[in-house]
Each structure stands twice: as C-alpha cells, then as structure tokens.
Amino acid sequence: MRDYLEFEKPLREIEEKIEKLATAGGGKSGSQDEIRKLRMKLAQLEHELYSSLTPWQRTQLARHPQRPSTLDYIGEIFRDFLEFHGDRSFGDDRAIVGGFARFNDRSVMVIGHQKGKTLKERMQRNFGMPNPEGYRKALRLMKMAEKFNRPIITFIDTPGAYPGIGAEERGQAEAIARNLLVMSRLTVPIISVVIGEGGSGGALALGVSDRVLMLEHGVYSVISPEGCAAILWDDPAKVPDAASALKMTAQDLLDLKIVDEVVPEPLGGAHREPRAVTERVAKVLTNQLFQLTELPIDQLLAQRDQKYRRIGAVSGLDPSSN
Amino acid sequence: MAWFKKQKGAEPEAPKRSKVAEGMWLKCNHCREIVYRKEVERNNKVCPKCDYHFPISVMERITLLVDFGTFKEWDADLGPLDPLGFHDTKSYKDRVKAQQEKTGRKDAIMIGEGQMNGRRVALCVFDFGFMGGSMGSVVGEKICRAIDRALEARLPVVLVTASGGARMQEGILSLMQMAKTSAAVAKLGEAKLPFICLLADPTFGGVTASVAMLGDVIIAEPKALIGFAGPRVIEQTIKQQLPDQFQRAEFLLEHGMIDMIVERKQLKETLSTLVAHF
C-alpha cells in the first residue's frame, strides 16, 4: 500500500472502494462493471488533480517519503559506487553521502543529501539536514574530484542545513559559505539535480554548478513555506500562500533562469514509477555532461562565473557609471 | 532565512533592538540598565555599563571608519525590482517604498571607497534599518560591483555586516546572491587582495553563510549576535533553552569562528593596521 498525502485522499477513497468490490464481488459481472466505472473515475480524478497541482501540493510531493533518493539514483544509474566517509576533522555526517562511481563507464564524483526512508534511517540521517561536517565532507570530495579531474554530480534533497547548537558551534555558516566559494571556481564540470526538496543555503551548498536540473515536482527556495508563513504572515495557516508567493516550483525556477532543464515525472510523482524517473534523469545527465566535458576548462569557468554574476533583478543599471 | 527578524506583529520598519530611543534615557539591549542617552552617544553608542555596542547607522559607521571627507559612494542608484510579484500581508513594492522613504536609501547596503588613515579601501556597509539588512539582488550586485572595482584599482575590501539574512521577498534570486557574492570573493582571493569582514549585531542566515564568513580576517564587535540559524528557530528545533552567551561574538571567538573582537573605539586603528599588513 502506498502512502497517500492529505490532498490525495479522494483518490484513496475510490481505490478502497475498488478493492472492496474486487474482494467481495469476485467475478460477478455487476461488480466488474462497477469496478470499471470506478477505475475510469479514478483515472479522470488523478488526471485533474495532478495536472493542477498547487505549489504547496508539489512541496508535499517533493517531500514524499517514498520519493527516489540520492542512493536510489546512485543504485539505478551509476555503477561501482564506493562511498567515502568523514570530513577528516570531526565526524561523518550521514545526511550527505558521496564517493566515486561510474556513470556511462566514466568515473565521476557523486554527492547528495540523503533523507532516509524508514524512521530509523531518517533519524540516523537527521532527516537529510546536514551538520557542518557533512558540508566539509562534500567539500573534501569535490576537491578530490578536482585533483583527479573527475566531473561532479550532486543530488539535492534537504529541508535545509540543521539548526542546532553543535552546528553553530562548529561553524554551519562557514561550512556552507566555503562550499559556495570553492564550487564557484572548481576546475571540473559540476551538474546538480534537485530531486526533491531544495531547502535554502543547506541545498545551495551542494548546488553551485554549471548546470542545474530539476525534477518536475521538486521545489527549491530561499526559505521553507512554513518558515516564510511564520515570519511574514505570523500565521501557520498561510503556508500554502507562502509556497505560492515564493515561486519555488520547477517551472518557476526555469522561468527565473535558475534551472536549466526540468525532468518530467510520471503522473502522481516520481515515487509511482521510480525506474522511469531515474532513467530520464540518466538521459538528461548524459547529454548535459557531454556538453560540459566538450568545453575547455577556462571557458567552463568563465561561463559559470558569468552565470552567477548575472543573477538578480536590479533597477537603475547604468553602464556608464560602472 | 531572515529568521532573525521574527517578531510578533512587528513591522520591519520598527526593529525593536536597533533603536537608540528618543528621550534622555534609554535601556540597554544587553544589560537592561537604564543609561543616559547622551553618554551612550558620546561613547560611539556603546553602553557605559556593560560595553554593549548599540547598532549604528550606515553614515555613523562610515564616519567612524573612514578619514573625514574621503568617502565616495558608488552605485547609489541601484534599486530593487519585484521579480516574483511578491505579496504577503503587504506587497513587496509597498514595503520597499516605505523603507526607501524611511532610510533615504534604495536598498540595504552602501558601497564606496574611502581612506583609512590614508590608505584607500573599498567599503561595503549593510543597513540593518532597511528591511533588516536583508540581502536581495541589489545587495548582491553592489557587493560584486565593489569587488569588481577593488580588483580594478587593487584595493582591499572591507565589508561591514548587519543583516537578518537573505531577503525572502526575492525568493530564489536572494538565495543565489549567496553564490554570486561568494564567487566574487573567490576572485578577489585569486588576485591576492584582502577581504576583511566586520560583523556587527546582528548577522544571520544567508549573509553569515556566504560573504560574512569568507573574510581572510573576520572581526566582530563585542557581544554581537552572529549565527546561521536564528535563536528562536534553534530553540524550536531542539526544544531546549539556549546557553546564555550562545551566538555572541565571544562565543564565536571561543569556537574558532572569528579572529578577534574589537571595541568600536579601536576599530579604525585596528583595521588600518591590519590593511597595512597586506
């Protein structure tokens, strides 16, 4: 049985009816007709529901517990993955995983947030909220990739960097800032894929890249809708409004030119057909990686530099005063 | 990310803690003592009882740090747009307008060049009075422009922060200013030009997690609150009370996050001595 989200309840009701009829009615033709009708109704309802998802509903899909995770992608589309651990100075943060792996027979460094699926795993991985040592492990692996001239692929899926006492004591802000600075100048291609939730600076710390790809129902924002509603509206009931106002869906980010390509998901979300999604991501990654590895490195760096330098909406730009 | 300014029902134009209030007496934000206002003002807005450094305005900061008459502002005309068409209880456009009228500034930072005891520096000063010093497109662009000019004229860059973090009303574009400014700091470093950060009370969120923590040398004012997550967010997450001096400058010094704490009256001397080392 799959997990239903709050807004998917009408679907569950019909599915339960179908199940009941199927077990009670056996092969009777009357109940077969009924089932057929319900299936059509279900298909229509699903179509309506998923083709008009609100940003807040998408956020819930992006956070779906069964959504394919970094390790799912690594397992499905990479080979010979060797996970590396630790930041070499404090500990190993299981909210971030990373290591060498083969992608289309090519050795790459793959790094990503990992939320965990069971409650136990989620707790071990701190629900995908890294501490500074997680970002420092990622930094160590990215520098290793640079040293051995391997492209970097990152998967982004985090509610955000962990807000805790230890995190502050060990320099959460510095760890994130350092990653942003170093990633902006790494001399190898970097591609990021927002596979679920892109929570603020904690996501960006793995996301300064030459190309940013995003799944159709992924979200990526400066603050969670919950945090935004609490601060700007002072009202938890305004979370859906905040989700809309923040323009955090894949389409929004494509329009704002923050994301380069959106990867479509099957009806109902990536967790419905994980294989289909990982395959699509593999295809897009293959293309993008091919384009990037064709570029001479100084051109790659110049493009990355220009890309970030141009982000922003400013009035009063006067070239003569520059 | 601008968690810091969460205040029940308060408008951003009235940040409770950033005021040296009207009247002859005022209450210190830190020790809660009632102190004589004139005495505080004569003392560079430092509490005579506990040495708390009250927030000061951008112009007061520039006057404090730069030789008289040498400051030249850059890009004062750059102002914000409303790329998201953002609307909460008020529209972003209206908020910006109100803040611009209040501060006489287009956005939350002033950049320019000046001399510190005769040495030229590029200076960026956050204005906490403008939407909590939040970093959106204009703040990011102006920091990059200051760095561009510093690269051209080979000047050291001094950045003075006071900010609640990234500006929510510009959404993902604000988040990306963290990457944009950090990339500019990287280029400054490659050119072997010094980047010096002075963290004033308060510095939080996306500003701490980008430019503020990237200084070759990081200085903080005494007792300044500095952190990634705001204290309220941490309390709600861990469901515990926070230790007394948590996220104060002294706490950061003890944990190895900053180089030194410098009193306001020593700041200019220290900075110009520091700049001379590069």
Side-chain angles (χ1 to χ4, degrees):
Chain A
M1 183 94 168
R2 66 188 181 97
D3 283 350
Y4 289 86
L5 299 167
E6 187 61 33
F7 71 89
E8 293 175 320
K9 266 193 181 150
L11 301 179
R12 183 173 66 186
E13 279 163 21
I14 301 177
E15 278 181 9
E16 279 173 357
K17 264 189 213 162
I18 294 173
E19 216 164 285
K20 235 186 242 165
L21 278 170
T23 47
K28 271 185 264 166
S29 68
S31 59
Q32 286 296 344
D33 275 358
E34 185 68 8
I35 289 174
R36 207 170 301 131
K37 266 188 215 154
L38 282 171
R39 286 230 165 94
M40 274 170 64
K41 193 174 157 197
L42 180 68
Q44 197 192 346
L45 192 63
E46 278 195 324
H47 181 77
E48 281 167 16
L49 191 65
Y50 293 121
S51 58
S52 60
L53 287 170
T54 66
W56 175 234
Q57 288 170 337
R58 271 182 215 274
T59 308
Q60 292 167 273
L61 277 179
R63 294 173 179 169
H64 197 288
Q66 276 144 13
R67 198 169 170 83
S69 68
T70 296
L71 286 176
D72 291 325
Y73 285 91
I74 293 176
E76 288 293 329
I77 63 181
F78 293 79
R79 285 190 303 113
D80 299 345
F81 174 57
L82 289 173
E83 186 179 349
F84 301 145
H85 293 275
D87 69 341
R88 298 291 189 269
S89 74
F90 181 79
D92 184 44
D93 185 345
R94 302 195 58 201
I96 291 182
V97 295
F100 278 138
R102 278 190 189 280
F103 181 69
N104 299 335
D105 285 328
R106 173 190 192 125
S107 175
V108 301
M109 184 63 79
V110 55
I111 302 168
H113 302 100
Q114 185 68 27
K115 287 180 171 177
K117 298 213 167 159
T118 62
L119 182 62
K120 192 176 158 206
E121 197 200 346
R122 285 181 164 248
M123 286 172 70
Q124 285 168 345
R125 299 194 183 278
N126 200 27
F127 300 84
M129 293 183 282
N131 275 286
E133 47 277 14
Y135 294 114
R136 291 179 180 134
K137 167 170 71 179
L139 185 67
R140 179 173 77 84
L141 301 189
M142 290 191 277
K143 284 184 167 169
M144 177 152 59
E146 182 180 50
K147 178 173 168 186
F148 297 106
N149 199 25
R150 298 284 182 266
I152 299 167
I153 296 172
T154 70
F155 291 101
I156 293 175
D157 189 18
T158 179
Y162 186 62
I165 292 181
E168 297 287 325
E169 288 175 336
R170 300 193 294 279
Q172 186 74 290
E174 194 277 341
I176 294 170
R178 186 68 48 199
N179 282 17
L180 306 183
L181 180 141
V182 172
M183 290 182 87
S184 75
R185 305 300 284 170
L186 280 176
T187 56
V188 290
I190 314 171
I191 303 180
S192 297
V193 193
V194 183
I195 55 173
E197 196 178 6
S200 196
L204 184 63
L206 298 186
V208 180
S209 325
D210 300 298
R211 295 282 187 278
V212 181
L213 318 175
M214 189 160 171
L215 264 73
E216 184 186 351
H217 300 317
V219 290
Y220 193 2
S221 70
V222 66
I223 186 169
S224 69
E226 290 92 334
C228 182
I231 296 171
L232 291 183
W233 278 271
D234 199 12
D235 179 1
K238 294 291 184 187
V239 169
D241 300 78
S244 303
L246 284 167
K247 299 272 191 289
M248 60 195 286
T249 69
Q251 187 60 50
D252 291 330
L253 298 194
L254 192 68
D255 295 343
L256 290 163
K257 300 191 169 67
I258 301 302
V259 159
D260 300 285
E261 191 170 344
V262 175
V263 182
E265 293 188 33
L267 195 72
H271 58 286
R272 293 286 199 89
E273 294 169 55
R275 275 271 168 85
V277 174
T278 51
E279 261 167 45
R280 274 181 211 165
V281 168
K283 222 176 252 172
V284 176
L285 273 176
T286 304
N287 281 335
Q288 295 283 3
L289 195 59
F290 177 76
Q291 288 175 31
L292 292 176
T293 44
E294 289 290 285
L295 288 175
I297 207 66
D298 45 343
Q299 211 173 315
L300 183 82
L301 282 182
Q303 282 185 13
R304 193 186 305 156
D305 184 52
Q306 280 304 306
K307 169 183 152 174
Y308 284 98
R309 185 66 180 77
R310 284 187 189 133
I311 296 178
V314 175
S315 72
L317 283 173
D318 175 11
S320 66
S321 73
N322 196 347
Chain B
M1 277 196 130
W3 292 311
F4 188 80
K5 61 191 189 76
K6 187 185 173 183
Q7 285 165 8
K8 272 216 157 91
E11 288 298 310
E13 42 266 57
K16 200 163 47 184
R17 41 177 305 117
S18 70
K19 270 253 163 80
V20 175
E22 302 300 311
M24 282 182 49
W25 302 92
L26 64 102
K27 193 167 158 187
C28 173
N29 287 337
H30 188 254
C31 67
R32 307 274 160 214
E33 291 277 338
I34 306 292
V35 286
Y36 190 44
R37 185 161 176 255
K38 279 226 171 101
E39 197 180 346
V40 173
E41 280 180 358
R42 267 199 304 270
N43 198 24
N44 290 318
K45 294 203 177 161
V46 174
C47 173
K49 296 266 164 41
C50 75
D51 220 22
Y52 171 76
H53 285 48
F54 283 90
I56 58 176
S57 74
V58 174
M59 283 324 293
E60 285 168 326
R61 178 69 68 186
I62 288 169
T63 309
L64 181 78
L65 296 181
V66 171
D67 300 344
F68 183 75
T70 63
F71 185 75
K72 232 173 47 205
E73 188 179 357
W74 294 328
D75 296 316
D77 295 342
L78 297 196
L81 294 167
D82 181 17
L84 269 46
F86 197 94
H87 207 290
D88 50 88
T89 52
K90 234 172 153 183
S91 77
Y92 178 42
K93 277 193 178 135
D94 288 346
R95 274 186 204 276
V96 163
K97 216 172 139 206
Q99 298 284 303
Q100 287 176 335
E101 279 163 15
K102 185 188 84 174
T103 60
R105 221 178 305 290
K106 295 256 170 151
D107 209 301
I109 199 167
M110 185 183 259
I111 61 168
E113 76 158 280
Q115 294 182 12
M116 265 178 201
N117 292 338
R119 295 192 84 93
R120 277 175 80 196
V121 298
L123 195 64
C124 309
V125 183
F126 274 80
D127 182 0
F128 191 76
F130 192 110
M131 290 186 82
S134 55
M135 177 160 74
S137 301
V138 174
V139 170
E141 176 67 21
K142 285 177 85 169
I143 291 173
C144 289
R145 284 178 171 231
I147 289 175
D148 285 348
R149 287 195 173 82
L151 283 165
E152 227 168 87
R154 296 207 57 82
L155 301 178
V157 177
V158 176
L159 172 85
V160 186
T161 61
S163 171
R167 186 174 296 170
M168 286 174 282
Q169 289 89 343
E170 291 183 28
I172 195 80
L173 297 185
S174 297
L175 185 71
M176 292 300 150
Q177 301 309 308
M178 294 168 63
K180 172 170 165 170
T181 53
S182 301
V185 174
K187 286 201 286 183
L188 196 67
E190 284 173 6
K192 311 272 182 238
L193 290 167
F195 183 55
I196 296 160
C197 296
L198 169 60
L199 315 186
D201 184 48
T203 297
F204 273 88
V207 170
T208 319
S210 62
V211 279
M213 277 292 148
L214 293 174
D216 294 301
V217 178
I218 305 176
I219 301 172
E221 287 202 318
K223 299 186 177 72
L225 272 174
I226 301 155
F228 173 63
R232 233 166 294 219
V233 173
I234 299 176
E235 260 175 3
Q236 282 163 7
T237 306
I238 63 171
K239 314 255 189 280
Q240 283 172 39
Q241 266 219 312
L242 298 172
D244 196 28
Q245 291 303 305
F246 186 65
Q247 295 183 323
R248 296 263 170 216
E250 294 72 15
F251 173 94
L252 270 87
L253 184 69
E254 194 185 314
H255 286 90
M257 295 304 147
I258 56 176
D259 290 284
M260 55 183 108
I261 296 173
V262 178
E263 295 210 5
R264 202 166 272 166
K265 57 177 182 282
Q266 295 294 333
L267 264 179
K268 186 176 178 182
E269 260 331 289
T270 308
L271 281 170
S272 52
T273 308
L274 176 60
V275 167
H277 278 291
F278 289 99

